[in-house]
Amino acid sequence: MTSDGIDDRIDVRGPRFGAALTAVVLAAALISGSGWLLACQALVFAVGAVAGVQRSPYAWLFRVAVRPRLSAPTAFEDPAPPRFAQSVGLFFALVGLASFAAGAPWLGLAATAAALAAAFLNAAFGYCLGCEMYLLLRRAAG
């Protein structure tokens, strides 16, 4: 338990819920070409990357609205890999935003689509690309 009363462990269902919401927001941004939606998602990624995924807006929504309606969690995970994944998502969102601002919408759409693909994989199949990257980097570092 941290000083703000939030458990350090993550219910494994929480990141999948967050990935589903992320996929919806990124799909809407991709379809509409809205930089504002991408900026909102970038902010969510930033909170998850800096403050921890358990303090992100999607984690709060999961904790308040979804988890009480589910059975007790049976599995928890370390927050470090999902936090790294939020950093990767933030990178792609920032590349997208910078590309839109620089007048290269094709690159902004490509970066948004890449983030959407990763979020969809996590939401639909429980496969977190950013988490896998984190584990590979940890193994490579020794």
Side-chain angles (χ1 to χ4, degrees):
M1 201 62 79
T2 60
S3 62
D4 58 3
I6 296 176
D7 197 339
D8 280 337
R9 301 175 306 155
I10 300 173
D11 179 340
V12 296
R13 301 169 294 185
R16 285 187 78 174
F17 173 78
L21 290 178
T22 298
V24 168
V25 171
L26 291 173
L30 192 61
I31 291 166
S32 68
S34 172
W36 289 109
L37 280 175
L38 186 56
C40 289
Q41 183 58 51
L43 183 60
V44 171
F45 282 143
V47 171
V50 174
V53 290
Q54 58 274 57
R55 290 170 190 80
S56 76
Y58 296 164
W60 175 83
L61 187 60
F62 176 77
R63 201 170 38 256
V64 171
V66 177
R67 190 169 174 185
R69 292 168 174 72
L70 301 175
S71 60
T74 57
F76 293 91
E77 68 177 308
D78 177 18
R83 187 174 187 172
F84 179 81
Q86 294 290 296
S87 299
V88 173
L90 176 60
F91 171 78
F92 278 94
L94 292 176
V95 167
L97 288 170
S99 299
F100 284 129
W106 60 272
L107 183 56
L109 293 173
T112 304
L116 171 59
F120 177 79
L121 280 175
N122 195 355
F125 304 109
Y127 187 80
C128 176
L129 285 173
C131 300
E132 294 300 322
M133 286 174 52
Y134 174 84
L135 296 174
L136 286 172
L137 290 171
R138 293 281 297 193
R139 285 186 198 123

